[in-house]
Amino acid sequence: MIGLISATAAGAAARDRLAVAWPDRTRVYEGPVGDAVRSAFAECEQLVCFLATGAVVRLIAPLLGEKSTDPGVVCVDEAGRFAVSLVGGHGGGANELAREVGELLAAQPVVTTATDSVGLPGLDTLGFPVEGSVATVSRALLDGEPVALRAELPWPLPPLPLAEEGAYAVRLTDRAVEPAGNEVLLRPPSLVVGVGASRGAPADEVLGLVEETLRDAGLSPRSVAELATVDAKAGEPGIVEAAARLGVPVVTHSAEELAGVQVPNPSDAPLAAVGTPSVAEAAALVGGGELLVPKRKSERADGRPAMATCAVVRRPARGRLAVVGLGPGARDLLTPRARAELRRASVLVGLDQYVDQIRDLLRPGTRILESGLGAEEERARTAVAEARAGQAVALIGSGDAGVYAMASPALAEASDDIDVIGVPGVTAALAAGAILGAPLGHDHVSISLSDLHTPWEVIERRVRAAAEADIVVTFYNPRSRGRDWQLPKALAILAGHREPTTPVGVVRNASRPDESSRLTTLGALDPAWVDMMTVVTVGNTATRNIAGRMVTPRGYRWQTSEEGAK
Ligand code: SAH
């Protein structure tokens, strides 16, 4: 629960906005502020005080105990300009709360905790298991001391301001080593353990074999990415439980696929039982990589035949290509997932003007490869090449990166040796639609009028089809200085099937600072209003201008039918 405390009328107004926005998370404390702060401090996990920091410091000073248990406290000033994370930045969640409160009240979050304020990733938030002196090495990073990266294998890491040499080190390794005093170990998910098991093999036998094999080979169980086996063993309890205890998934492959993998130790037994001469070695080797431990059988104290086999492979590092849509422009239309991917990337590839849009969100140390308009193919190639070299890459585009943008040229270049993660963004047609009203309430298409890469005949055929099918059309790339006849031509084709009074929305720079829009008609549209920063949405024969908003009915019968009335 978040306790809310205020003293003045302005404070109470801001307080009420939080209380209304988060009814289940907040509780208002009324009465004298001193008592209110004391009660809230005792009863809540977090406090938001609409009071001066000085006042709050004095009130909570005698109440402070341990940083692990104290509530997080945020102060908001009288004018509502700042949300200050005062105490409990990490443990009490005050930094995050200051950001949330800031967003809600349009106040600037003020965060002074070191790792957050300089944008450094906490070493324990990189998405890898860590061991060793996290606090010591983090402090060294913050103090600007040289911290070396000792990567024993290539792996796509987020950006870290690391040096070649230094008294401190971040060591990326899957080997079973102990961290030195000034060292943090990062465990990449680089090991695949192939397992085979007879029906009814006990989990202890499977797990014991896996653990012993890793120990003898000097490998860390924390780098195991998965247990791999044959489809027929997907539900084998001993394997399922061993995986659960290791905290990794069971990944299965068909016997046919496994039979096609070259292995050093094929045998007849699995061939008869499940249809492949190798389970453990083949399953471990399916994705390629280096066989570190060939097939090994469990040993049973009672001398009965072994029921489990395993083999260990170090898989090749897979680069990571995130194709990230930034939305139409406004920061709050950039999705949290896009933001996370931007921070996950060590290499950012994009058009210079889009890079400018999000530069402040990047982590220090991010390598930025920006280029100008027209270099699409080159950008796509660069992004894929960096990912294939094992990097974590973000390729950015405005709106949705898959809509008239970088995703298709990049994926046309990409091979299956990299992971590709798509992050959808709010495309211009949707951003414009929300400004205009509800123009896309029924079937709609987007058509780009750029004939640089598409022959005009093709574009015209599509416009004609949309016109005949009475579909709402949004034109992207509608008009530029050198391309001015295409839009009038396309509108004329639509006018052949729609009244001159058909509503048309023209939106320029949707969600950007100089956003403008107008609602006009097919008969009255002046192409001079339109440029490359604009989308033009033409209604269908049912679209209406209702109270200045463009509305396309859900269906021709929907609104009068009984169902529609519900
Ligand atoms: N990937 C982008 C589209 C790229 S094509 C997206 O999904 O939105 C470029 C065209 O998109 C521009 O010529 C313009 O027609 C349109 N566009 C992009 N952003 C826009 C915005 N904020 N406002 C209006 N139109 C926009």
Side-chain angles (χ1 to χ4, degrees):
M1 191 59 64
I2 306 173
L4 305 179
I5 300 107
S6 63
T8 64
R15 173 200 72 188
D16 291 345
R17 281 170 63 195
L18 287 197
V20 168
W22 301 334
D24 301 331
R25 291 174 65 193
T26 54
R27 179 167 155 201
V28 172
Y29 284 79
E30 313 247 27
V33 251
D35 295 344
V37 167
R38 277 185 286 276
S39 308
F41 199 92
E43 292 163 11
C44 298
E45 291 82 51
Q46 295 178 317
L47 274 65
V48 179
C49 302
F50 299 85
L51 302 166
T53 50
V56 178
V57 167
R58 281 173 208 290
L59 285 169
I60 64 171
L63 311 174
L64 289 173
E66 291 295 319
K67 103 178 173 183
S68 54
T69 50
D70 282 343
V73 179
V74 169
C75 291
V76 177
D77 64 302
E78 177 75 6
R81 286 173 56 210
F82 303 104
V84 185
S85 166
L86 193 66
V87 295
H90 284 148
N95 292 350
E96 190 48 40
L97 182 62
R99 282 193 200 101
E100 281 187 88
V101 170
E103 214 145 277
L104 211 108
L105 301 179
Q108 171 78 39
V110 179
V111 171
T112 56
T113 323
T115 38
D116 292 70
S117 62
V118 295
L120 277 179
L123 289 170
D124 50 354
T125 64
L126 297 176
F128 298 90
V130 287
E131 293 163 37
S133 321
V134 176
T136 310
V137 176
S138 298
R139 169 123 348 105
L141 274 173
L142 287 171
D143 292 347
E145 305 242 17
V147 178
L149 175 63
R150 306 213 175 102
E152 293 181 7
L153 64 174
W155 208 263
L157 286 176
L160 286 164
L162 299 177
E164 306 240 315
E165 295 292 328
Y168 303 88
V170 171
R171 181 169 169 199
L172 183 82
T173 179
D174 57 17
R175 294 188 308 115
V177 287
E178 287 297 318
N182 291 338
E183 192 174 61
V184 165
L185 302 183
L186 294 184
R187 298 298 190 184
S190 53
L191 304 176
V192 179
V193 181
V195 288
S198 320
R199 182 168 312 141
D204 284 339
E205 185 171 340
V206 178
L207 186 62
L209 172 66
V210 171
E211 287 178 338
E212 199 179 307
T213 303
L214 292 169
R215 199 177 321 119
D216 291 352
L219 297 168
S220 169
R222 301 187 81 191
S223 272
V224 174
E226 62 189 46
L227 293 193
T229 189
V230 64
D231 284 346
K233 297 292 173 186
E236 183 60 42
I239 295 181
V240 172
E241 196 184 325
R245 286 205 239 149
L246 284 166
V248 299
V250 177
V251 175
T252 67
H253 306 278
S254 69
E256 200 187 349
E257 190 179 2
L258 296 187
V261 178
Q262 285 289 333
V263 298
N265 300 298
S267 78
D268 291 337
L271 186 60
V274 287
T276 162
S278 167
V279 173
E281 287 182 350
L285 280 166
V286 164
E290 181 193 354
L291 184 64
L292 300 178
V293 185
K295 180 172 76 177
R296 177 171 162 171
K297 292 182 181 167
S298 50
E299 279 165 30
R300 293 175 59 108
D302 58 12
R304 301 241 299 274
M307 295 186 81
T309 56
C310 85
V312 184
V313 162
R314 180 179 286 141
R315 60 181 186 184
R318 286 172 69 83
R320 201 168 183 284
L321 175 63
V323 185
V324 181
L326 302 180
R331 181 51 64 83
D332 58 354
L333 291 180
L334 175 85
T335 65
R337 191 180 296 186
R339 190 184 283 251
E341 284 298 340
L342 295 175
R343 296 180 66 76
R344 173 72 182 77
S346 60
V347 180
L348 183 89
V349 183
L351 184 66
D352 40 18
Q353 71 197 67
Y354 300 149
V355 174
D356 286 340
Q357 207 175 310
I358 46 85
R359 202 180 293 272
D360 63 302
L361 294 177
L362 302 174
R363 283 184 152 148
T366 309
R367 192 147 54 87
I368 301 176
L369 304 174
E370 48 192 319
S371 44
L373 266 177
E376 276 79 21
E377 307 271 310
E378 184 203 314
R379 272 199 293 282
R381 260 198 306 278
T382 305
V384 171
E386 290 286 344
R388 294 191 71 184
Q391 301 286 351
V393 182
L395 175 63
I396 57 171
S398 85
D400 184 278
V403 176
Y404 309 120
M406 294 305 300
S408 12
L411 298 201
E413 288 282 325
S415 37
D416 67 1
D417 56 355
I418 57 171
D419 291 327
V420 173
I421 294 98
V423 182
V426 178
T427 187
L430 299 184
I435 292 164
L436 294 168
L440 309 182
H442 209 267
D443 301 332
H444 53 275
V445 287
S446 293
I447 297 179
S448 167
L449 291 183
S450 169
D451 54 358
L452 292 179
H453 301 291
T454 308
W456 176 253
E457 295 73 43
V458 173
I459 298 172
E460 191 173 314
R461 193 166 73 231
R462 292 177 184 172
V463 176
R464 209 171 287 289
E468 285 165 6
D470 197 25
I471 298 177
V472 174
V473 183
T474 300
F475 291 116
Y476 281 67
N477 301 308
R479 183 172 179 268
S480 68
R481 234 173 281 145
R483 267 190 321 103
D484 57 0
W485 55 265
Q486 288 85 346
L487 179 64
K489 178 91 204 220
L491 293 173
I493 294 170
L494 292 177
H497 295 78
R498 298 175 198 186
E499 295 295 326
T501 52
T502 303
V504 175
V506 178
V507 178
R508 185 164 190 278
N509 279 327
S511 93
R512 296 176 186 151
D514 47 352
E515 169 186 309
S516 65
S517 71
R518 55 173 102 206
L519 184 49
T520 176
T521 63
L522 208 41
L525 182 137
D526 179 352
W529 299 333
V530 177
D531 64 8
M532 280 297 275
M533 307 298 188
T534 312
V535 280
V536 177
T537 297
V538 181
N540 66 16
T541 52
T543 305
R544 295 287 171 264
N545 176 338
I546 298 176
R549 301 188 187 95
M550 185 170 175
V551 180
T552 301
R554 280 276 305 277
Y556 303 104
R557 276 172 314 204
W558 190 79
Q559 281 180 326
T560 49
S561 72
E562 248 175 64
E563 204 188 335
K566 278 182 199 158

